[in-house]
Amino acid sequence: MALFDKISEDIKAAMKARDKVRLETLRNIKKVFLEAKTAPGANDTLDDADAMKILQKLAKQGRETAATFTAANRQDLANEELAQAKVIEEYLPKPLSETEIEEIVKKVIADTGATSMKEMGKVMGTASKLMAGKADGKAISAVVKRLLAN
């Protein structure tokens, strides 16, 4: 089942369960998916890879917004954002651990033959493609910098 269809089915389930937070979050996801499907050049399609990118972006935005609300002493709003981010993250693959990221980056460095920070872009490009959707870019970048600096 495509991710778009799964979201639609889960909206129905959230309605039946009267889960307000889940329903609101899923409706927002579907709205963004529909906007992506109808965007110029999308040919009225949305594959799962693009849908995952959208979900990652929404989850990241939710976490960042929650951090902003927390800094502004608005824990009530921060909790709402975190609850919505948690619902979104249910549809994302399990993120890689620091150790797993390091193993993949070491392999990429060996494959590309990178030896200095000058080649960070080459390593980051390959590593980011390999770990797309499974690791945050900041985490990958930190590991690459640490390994290339040594």
Side-chain angles (χ1 to χ4, degrees):
M1 177 183 288
L3 195 53
F4 182 84
D5 299 328
K6 172 108 176 85
I7 297 290
S8 296
E9 290 297 315
D10 289 351
I11 287 174
K12 292 175 192 171
M15 284 179 176
K16 290 177 183 174
R18 298 182 190 273
D19 187 343
K20 184 182 171 200
V21 173
R22 187 173 194 78
L23 179 61
E24 183 180 321
T25 304
L26 293 174
R27 281 183 172 163
N28 185 41
I29 292 169
K30 187 168 182 178
K31 176 188 76 89
V32 176
F33 280 1
L34 286 171
E35 288 171 356
K37 280 179 82 168
T38 58
N43 300 326
D44 203 33
T45 59
L46 180 71
D47 62 353
D48 280 355
D50 291 335
M52 279 294 171
K53 288 178 186 172
I54 291 170
L55 288 176
Q56 288 170 333
K57 182 179 176 184
L58 290 173
K60 183 178 179 183
Q61 285 175 342
R63 288 189 301 270
E64 289 173 352
T65 304
T68 304
F69 284 141
T70 302
N73 255 355
R74 291 298 310 263
Q75 197 57 44
D76 54 329
L77 296 174
N79 290 341
E80 285 180 33
E81 287 293 331
L82 289 173
Q84 289 184 7
K86 186 176 178 185
V87 171
I88 294 168
E89 288 167 355
E90 291 175 17
Y91 295 93
L92 295 172
K94 183 181 171 283
L96 296 173
S97 69
E98 181 85 19
T99 310
E100 293 168 321
I101 293 172
E102 191 170 318
E103 288 175 18
I104 293 170
V105 170
K106 282 180 181 176
K107 185 178 183 314
V108 170
I109 289 172
D111 291 348
T112 59
T115 56
S116 68
M117 287 296 287
K118 291 179 183 176
E119 298 164 298
M120 182 173 173
K122 185 168 41 171
V123 175
M124 276 299 297
T126 307
S128 295
K129 286 178 187 170
L130 286 173
M131 294 183 266
K134 298 176 190 164
D136 182 48
K138 289 180 184 177
I140 297 170
S141 176
V143 171
V144 170
K145 283 179 186 174
R146 183 168 41 86
L147 291 176
L148 286 178
N150 292 340

